[in-house]
Amino acid sequence: MKVVFDREESVLHFIDSADGTLHVRYIAGQILGLPLDELARGLDAFNDDVYRNPERRFYLGTLARHGREAGGDFLSLETVDVDTMSQDMLRFFYHRVRAHIDPAVPLVLKPANHRQEGYIARIPEAEIPRVLSHELYSTAAFVPLAAGEARGRLRVFRSEEEYRADPEPLEWQDIVVMPRVPEDIPRVSGIIHAEHTTPLSHINVMATGWRIPNAVGIGALDRIERAGLAGRWVRYRVDADGEDLVLEAAEPGTGGRESTRPATPDERVAVELPDLAPTPITPLSELRTGDGARFGTKAAGLGELTHLLEHGSPRWLGFYRVPRPPRENLLRYLARQLDLPEDADETELGSAAQRLVKEHVQVPRGIVLPFSLQQRFLDSSPRLRDALARLDRTLRDGSADGAADGSADATADGTSEADRIREHCLDVQRLVRTTPVPAPVRTEIERAVDRHLYGSPAQVVRSSSNAEDLPGFSAAGLYESVADVSGTEAVLDAVREVWASLFSPRAVLLRSQAGIPLEHCRMGVIVQEQVGATVGGVLVSCNPLSPQDFRNVYLNISPRSVTDVVTGRGAPIQYLCNTLEGGSRTVSLGTTGTDLDAGTKELLRRLALISRLVQAHFAPDETYGAPVDIEWAIAGDRVDLLQVRPFRTTG
């Protein structure tokens, strides 16, 4: 229910908003008698008056009813997140609404942003009870992570240990249910997490790429047990705006994308063929987007980002230039965020954006080993070449009879094709790890590290394949990175570990299922200065839980490392940062239980704004609507950007 308090008339309006009635439409039509076309023409000025004016006539809020296991239902009162009410205004509004509600019904104030949380913290809780956003999120029984529908066999595990001990592997048609699904599962038809997780973990990003239904369903394990659905065929549906997941018994059998098979020709993922022409090891700062065929998509993206931060972009402002009817564009909002007058021209906006970027973010220096260097290494060993040929033949045979999907079809000797593929993969990986690096290749790597990473006490060695960050195949977490590397031998070992990850059984099988041939895949390697960090995380320049939300950027944060976020080890702190009107709010405190300090929150708000500029530069078209996924780490008052790639939404 929406609430409007009219200070001029001293009247409190309670609005049944089941039909989607907006505050501003109600005020315009029912109080001011303002035609909707006139409201649309002056919408920004109207919003400024009701949300930002300290002398405003109207106070706007929303009442929501919440249930809890102990203590009965309660109501919460909340403003919108962009509202700039002061502490005194919030206090007045709460007490005015409280006076019109049955005293037997508890009413709490729910701060809408970090600023309001600070205000409320200074008011005694006995005067104004409160509930924070993250406290409500932690009690949500259903969170849709990716919408979709599937029919398959329900595989239920009450722990990761139970899953690891099960002798029957997950297959394409399975729908897996677990407290928190690990990142190394094979391709399945649906996922249900029985505990809270984040949409930005590797497995959830992969699931979005697979276009399968994925949700958090608290109590799902008990619900499935009561219904006797474990091990049975079910229909599973997740709706983005639904109130619960749909899970019901279905007849055995498969069809469409849920069948146990690799991709059909129409579904196969296209990969840019690797360029194996002799190419020198190159600094990140010299790479651009078009270099992905020689160095991999991750390296090319980081190179482009390095160039962008140094030289700016004529596309900086693209996201804010796009019309958002009835608004002609969003440039005045960007001007506010950059502390410029609202009528600042695009030259002023571009210069201010460049200053913001240079002041707050950077890409750590690094070098990239091209695909041609990996090929020289592979060609140096006859045993390695033979092992790759055996793997390739087995994959081709498996693709011909449909067994490369991980099914249990057995060969004449009783070994399944999937098991044969796994054996060949492990053999190739063992040879990659143990084959000596040829002397010329070793010398080239040593010289490049010495020339471009001098003074760096430790490096991180990271993957950069051409078979990742693709539509329908993100490969998030599929390949290896090695941190805390120091010294020539350690660098060489780490490089071989990254090369070997291209041939892991999971990577090979997932690519085969997507129709990506082994011979089309190569691995570049990034050797980058390792930076210290007090806080790390991942952001996407959108709100993945609300695809229509064009204001907010979604951040996952760990006080320890980026790895904790993307691997799902412990739930991260989760923020939404508004990149139009400003402000931010905590969605979840995760497993840390403690929020960040005000200075770090402000730095992350600036990072969210910068991500919109980065999104505009990397956008594939002039709608500038394709979000990006950025890994980052904070050291002091600067943010190191560690990766940028497209983020595939389910929309």
Side-chain angles (χ1 to χ4, degrees):
M1 178 176 289
K2 290 185 169 59
V3 180
V4 173
F5 177 64
D6 183 348
R7 294 175 62 221
E8 186 174 297
E9 300 294 334
S10 193
V11 173
L12 189 64
H13 299 252
F14 291 92
I15 309 161
D16 181 355
S17 57
D19 60 355
T21 299
L22 301 176
H23 284 106
V24 292
R25 284 178 175 265
Y26 178 86
I27 294 171
Q30 302 299 319
I31 300 178
L32 301 179
L34 189 67
L36 291 181
D37 58 346
E38 186 176 339
L39 171 66
R41 286 194 298 271
L43 183 60
D44 281 338
F46 191 94
N47 283 338
D48 281 348
D49 188 57
V50 296
Y51 294 129
R52 298 171 62 86
N53 183 357
E55 303 300 326
R56 70 190 72 171
R57 173 178 173 180
F58 300 106
Y59 286 13
L60 280 55
T62 300
L63 279 173
R65 188 179 71 179
H66 308 273
R68 53 189 173 191
E69 294 182 2
D73 292 357
F74 66 96
L75 298 179
S76 68
L77 174 65
E78 180 182 17
T79 72
V80 298
D81 64 315
V82 301
D83 200 305
T84 61
M85 279 193 192
S86 67
Q87 179 175 317
D88 289 341
M89 294 166 74
L90 285 169
R91 175 183 260 136
F92 173 85
F93 189 36
Y94 171 84
H95 286 300
R96 192 73 189 208
V97 174
R98 171 74 275 182
H100 287 76
I101 292 177
D102 185 339
V105 179
L107 175 67
V108 302
L109 187 65
K110 179 187 174 191
N113 51 48
H114 287 142
R115 182 187 301 109
Q116 289 188 6
E117 287 182 12
Y119 293 155
I120 295 304
R122 297 195 288 268
I123 299 175
E125 190 160 3
E127 177 186 350
I128 299 183
R130 73 287 315 262
V131 64
L132 303 183
S133 295
H134 67 81
E135 294 171 332
L136 290 179
Y137 177 85
S138 66
T139 65
F142 170 65
V143 180
L145 300 174
E149 183 169 343
R151 187 165 57 140
R153 182 179 55 162
L154 198 62
R155 301 288 303 280
V156 180
F157 305 96
R158 288 196 168 268
S159 68
E160 184 173 341
E161 292 73 21
E162 183 180 320
Y163 161 67
R164 302 289 180 195
D166 194 299
E168 184 179 359
L170 291 173
E171 298 182 9
W172 182 290
Q173 80 272 18
D174 288 337
I175 296 168
V176 61
V177 187
M178 218 181 300
R180 187 174 296 159
V181 178
E183 66 168 7
D184 62 350
I185 65 167
R187 202 280 193 204
V188 291
S189 285
I191 292 175
I192 301 173
H193 302 267
E195 294 180 357
H196 281 288
T197 182
T198 165
L200 302 191
S201 70
H202 281 153
I203 185 56
N204 292 328
V205 172
M206 290 283 282
T208 300
W210 293 334
R211 294 177 171 84
I212 63 173
N214 183 18
V216 172
I218 305 300
L221 292 169
D222 294 337
R223 170 181 170 183
I224 290 166
E225 183 177 348
R226 288 194 301 271
L229 293 177
R232 296 177 58 186
W233 280 76
V234 299
R235 183 175 71 91
Y236 170 41
R237 190 179 79 244
V238 174
D239 297 319
D241 56 354
E243 295 184 0
D244 199 357
L245 55 87
V246 175
L247 198 62
E248 56 193 20
E251 290 298 317
T254 58
R257 294 190 61 86
E258 292 76 46
S259 61
T260 307
R261 53 163 174 76
T264 66
D266 290 340
E267 297 166 340
R268 288 174 184 162
V269 174
V271 175
E272 184 178 18
L273 295 180
D275 181 350
L276 301 179
T279 303
I281 297 174
T282 303
L284 268 176
S285 57
E286 295 181 12
L287 298 189
R288 303 295 297 274
T289 300
D291 292 316
R294 293 182 296 152
F295 295 93
T297 52
K298 187 183 297 181
L302 272 176
E304 182 71 23
L305 184 60
T306 302
H307 185 274
L308 173 67
L309 301 187
E310 180 63 28
H311 302 286
S313 169
R315 293 164 60 84
W316 267 143
L317 311 181
F319 176 83
Y320 291 92
R321 286 195 188 110
V322 174
R324 297 281 181 179
R327 302 169 182 84
E328 183 178 348
N329 57 57
L330 303 175
L331 291 173
R332 67 191 294 264
Y333 292 92
L334 177 60
R336 282 180 180 172
Q337 298 308 308
L338 295 173
D339 297 321
L340 293 175
E342 291 187 6
D343 59 354
D345 61 31
E346 292 198 12
T347 299
E348 294 173 294
L349 290 170
S351 297
Q354 182 69 6
R355 288 194 298 272
L356 175 73
V357 167
K358 279 186 170 292
E359 181 179 353
H360 293 291
V361 298
Q362 62 187 6
V363 175
R365 57 185 172 149
I367 57 174
V368 190
L369 282 55
F371 295 159
S372 61
L373 204 69
Q374 183 198 30
Q375 192 62 45
R376 287 165 59 189
F377 169 76
L378 297 176
D379 290 342
S380 72
S381 169
R383 293 179 62 197
L384 192 44
R385 292 199 305 270
D386 289 346
L388 283 168
R390 288 192 296 272
L391 173 58
D392 189 49
R393 282 195 301 271
T394 305
L395 285 168
R396 290 175 187 274
D397 292 343
S399 296
D401 63 18
D405 59 0
S407 62
D409 294 347
T411 58
D413 64 0
T415 305
S416 74
E417 289 289 350
D419 285 340
R420 288 169 63 86
I421 290 170
R422 290 186 180 94
E423 289 174 6
H424 289 318
C425 286
L426 295 174
D427 189 37
V428 170
Q429 286 193 289
R430 178 183 58 80
L431 289 169
V432 170
R433 293 183 180 113
T434 58
T435 296
V437 177
V441 173
R442 177 189 179 103
T443 299
E444 190 173 344
I445 294 173
E446 287 178 330
R447 289 176 177 174
V449 171
D450 183 61
R451 179 180 179 185
H452 298 288
L453 293 172
Y454 57 87
S456 170
Q459 293 85 41
V460 58
V461 181
R462 310 175 69 200
S463 60
S464 180
S465 172
N466 62 326
E468 59 184 322
D469 302 338
L470 306 172
F473 193 78
S474 76
L478 200 57
Y479 307 121
E480 287 293 335
S481 293
V482 184
D484 300 312
V485 178
S486 181
T488 299
E489 295 304 323
V491 169
L492 293 174
D493 287 345
V495 168
R496 285 182 295 189
E497 188 64 39
V498 171
W499 281 339
S501 69
L502 186 69
F503 308 108
S504 73
R506 182 169 182 257
V508 169
L509 285 168
L510 286 176
R511 292 197 305 263
S512 181
Q513 290 170 352
I516 303 174
L518 181 69
E519 67 270 19
H520 290 180
C521 304
R522 293 296 185 277
M523 180 66 75
V525 181
I526 303 168
V527 184
Q528 201 169 13
E529 180 176 24
Q530 183 165 307
V531 295
T534 54
V535 178
V538 179
L539 71 78
V540 288
S541 58
C542 65
N543 180 357
L545 301 178
S546 180
Q548 303 307 313
D549 178 3
F550 61 88
R551 286 177 159 80
N552 286 295
V553 163
Y554 186 79
L555 296 97
N556 280 193
I557 306 143
S558 169
R560 293 174 295 275
S561 72
V562 178
T563 304
D564 284 357
V565 173
V566 296
T567 60
R569 289 203 301 265
I573 299 171
Q574 300 174 46
Y575 282 179
L576 282 172
C577 291
N578 187 314
T579 57
L580 265 65
E581 292 91 352
S584 57
R585 63 185 186 272
T586 303
V587 177
S588 172
L589 287 182
T591 52
T592 64
T594 304
D595 212 339
L596 302 175
D597 61 86
T600 305
K601 288 177 181 176
E602 176 61 20
L603 186 55
L604 291 177
R605 189 191 68 79
R606 293 179 182 274
L607 175 61
L609 182 63
I610 289 169
S611 77
R612 290 296 197 194
L613 308 177
V614 173
Q615 171 181 329
H617 177 80
F618 281 90
D621 55 44
E622 301 311 309
T623 66
Y624 301 101
V628 291
D629 172 327
I630 297 175
E631 288 188 11
W632 51 270
I634 292 178
D637 59 355
R638 292 184 67 86
V639 182
D640 288 293
L641 304 185
L642 309 177
Q643 178 173 292
V644 60
R645 61 186 176 189
F647 181 73
R648 313 295 177 186
T649 64
T650 57

